[in-house]
Amino acid sequence: MAATRADLPRGELFSEALMRQVRERFLGIERDHHGRERLYFDNAGGSFRLKAAVERFAQVDAIPDNAERIHETAVELQAMQARGADDLRTILNATGGSVYPSLTASGAMFDMVRAVAENVPGTNMVTTALEHPSAFDAMRLYAERLGRELRVARSNPVTGGVDVDAIVGLIDEHTCVLNVIHASNISGAKLDMAAIVRHAREIKPDLYILVDAVQHAPHGVIDLQQTPVDGINLAPYKFFGCRGSGFAWMSERAAALPHHKLAGKKPGHWELGSSAPWQFAVLTEIVDYVGWLGGHFNDATDATDRRARFVAGIERIELHERALLATLLDGTAQTPGLRALDGVQVFLDHEDLTQRDLILGIGFDGLDCTQAVVEYGKRGVTVYERVASSIYSKRMLESFGLEGTVRVSPLHCHTLGEMERFLKVTQEIATAL
């Protein structure tokens, strides 16, 4: 049987042999596009790309044929799109519904919020303080436009997430939509989606629920059979794929709500204009890769089951990344961890690593986070400053009482040795203050 997060609360690293194979499948892990050596720890802003995804993008986008034709190449492109749509359902464990490819996951979120807010009765809309602006601002925009109350669940500064009770306590029979993030892109804290959905629907069984899964999708299992929602989005460029593509899945009732579409299209159709088959082809490459990884561990499940192989792969990614997180926090025999470094603070440092994706925020005594990012850059390390002056960070940081943080976000293709290298660089910066 595949190991579970309960079995391994501090995770489990890939074997050295598998690690070599994993790294061979990605671009730019050790050097940037100019050939300069670097340690890239900003995967939450845009992840390493699969070689197969980039190659497939170029192959498919080079085909000039329109998929809405009857000739052989058009039929081939139609099959490619159908497979990619099925693979989105594989990632989510969804059945039926509608697949909506868009330019960005943010755009898809705005569209979903609009469709629900404008067409579902209610006097209030519920979201959380930790939402990405594409979700929070869409909710605020339509609440103001439609004269509805926007209720915002507070964050928990201990866990770095939002408590279930804080969310469901705001829901009543007059709530028309709940919009909630799957995991924070500030702290990495995972929200208890199963409990949120269950309790929300106990209060209002027909409540429309939308989920932002952009941050969480590359790091953990999503199962809409266990957490049935009406809309959910993800971004391939943060999931080993290509930029310029977003995907959403919607339940049949959500997809049928009035929305922008050509009059002759089916009620649940959301695409406008000619499709881009490469978007679907790249998604298939992502699922192929995760399934390949899962095939190294999934000896208890039918090897022909695509969803089972995908789940096994994501579970092993989660375990490897948890082991990397534990290393960053507590160090190794060769170097102390962030928790032990003088002059370094680990923000929102919740002990239960099973409830966290591989993101953490740190700060330095006597050095603001923007300058800290500059110091890392001088040493060949790429991280990201989350500051209260940024529209992408202000609301979330203020909810935690923070002015800023250095966000550190490695990926499963990183090694234990690279965590040690990062810790040594961090110690060097802290010692120089």
Side-chain angles (χ1 to χ4, degrees), residues 82 84-99 249 307:
D86 285 344
D87 279 331
L88 181 62
R89 294 183 176 93
T90 296
I91 292 170
L92 303 173
N93 201 22
T95 58
S98 291
V99 169
W249 175 91
R307 166 69 181 178

Side-chain angles (χ1 to χ4, degrees), residues 330-346:
D330 296 323
T332 66
Q334 284 67 46
T335 183
L338 295 169
R339 287 168 169 165
L341 290 179
D342 290 337
V344 176
Q345 302 175 63
V346 181

Side-chain angles (χ1 to χ4, degrees), residues 261-405:
K261 80 174 186 66
L262 301 181
K265 295 290 186 178
K266 295 180 180 179
H269 188 88
W270 277 60
E271 282 187 79
L272 289 171
S274 298
S275 62
W278 69 261
Q279 290 183 272
F280 296 89
V282 165
L283 199 63
T284 290
E285 293 295 339
I286 294 168
V287 175
D288 282 349
Y289 164 72
V290 177
W292 165 82
L293 185 57
H296 288 77
F297 304 97
N298 199 22
D299 55 4
T301 307
D302 184 353
T304 64
D305 187 323
R306 192 163 175 80
R307 166 69 181 178
R309 292 199 311 274
F310 179 85
V311 168
I314 283 289
E315 287 179 341
R316 298 310 300 205
I317 285 172
E318 184 178 15
L319 288 172
H320 180 78
E321 291 186 342
R322 189 182 304 152
L324 297 182
L325 178 59
T327 300
L328 287 173
L329 291 169
D330 296 323
T332 66
Q334 284 67 46
T335 183
L338 295 169
R339 287 168 169 165
L341 290 179
D342 290 337
V344 176
Q345 302 175 63
V346 181
F347 300 125
L348 309 170
D349 186 16
H350 188 46
E351 288 287 342
D352 186 356
L353 302 189
T354 69
Q355 300 305 313
R356 298 173 63 177
D357 284 337
L358 183 52
I359 287 181
L360 50 80
I362 63 174
F364 292 84
D365 296 343
L367 186 67
D368 69 61
C369 62
T370 300
Q371 188 57 41
V373 169
V374 172
E375 293 300 319
Y376 275 114
K378 292 176 182 177
R379 295 162 174 81
V381 179
T382 298
V383 288
Y384 175 49
E385 73 280 10
R386 302 301 301 254
V387 292
S389 59
S390 167
I391 64 169
Y392 294 101
S393 306
K394 178 179 175 62
R395 172 176 21 84
M396 296 86 103
L397 288 172
E398 288 181 347
S399 79
F400 291 128
L402 297 174
E403 294 183 359
T405 179

Side-chain angles (χ1 to χ4, degrees), residues 92-138:
L92 303 173
N93 201 22
T95 58
S98 291
V99 169
Y100 175 29
S102 61
L103 180 64
T104 65
S106 293
M109 179 58 76
F110 263 88
D111 289 342
M112 291 191 293
V113 170
R114 176 182 182 177
V116 177
E118 288 187 337
N119 297 287
V120 176
T123 60
N124 68 80
M125 302 161 64
V126 176
T127 190
T128 84
L130 295 190
E131 301 306 307
H132 186 274
S134 62
F136 191 91
D137 292 355

Side-chain angles (χ1 to χ4, degrees), residues 5 91-95 164 178 180-182 191-201 207-213 216 220-232 249-251 307:
R5 67 184 190 180
I91 292 170
L92 303 173
N93 201 22
T95 58
V164 174
L178 165 64
V180 61
I181 199 165
H182 214 303
L191 276 62
D192 189 345
M193 202 58 61
I196 292 168
V197 172
R198 182 175 67 254
H199 291 308
R201 291 242 164 84
L207 178 66
Y208 279 77
I209 302 176
L210 304 178
V211 174
D212 175 358
H216 181 61
V221 175
I222 298 172
D223 188 348
L224 296 192
Q225 299 305 305
Q226 299 297 319
T227 58
V229 300
D230 291 286
I232 186 168
W249 175 91
M250 285 167 286
S251 67
R307 166 69 181 178

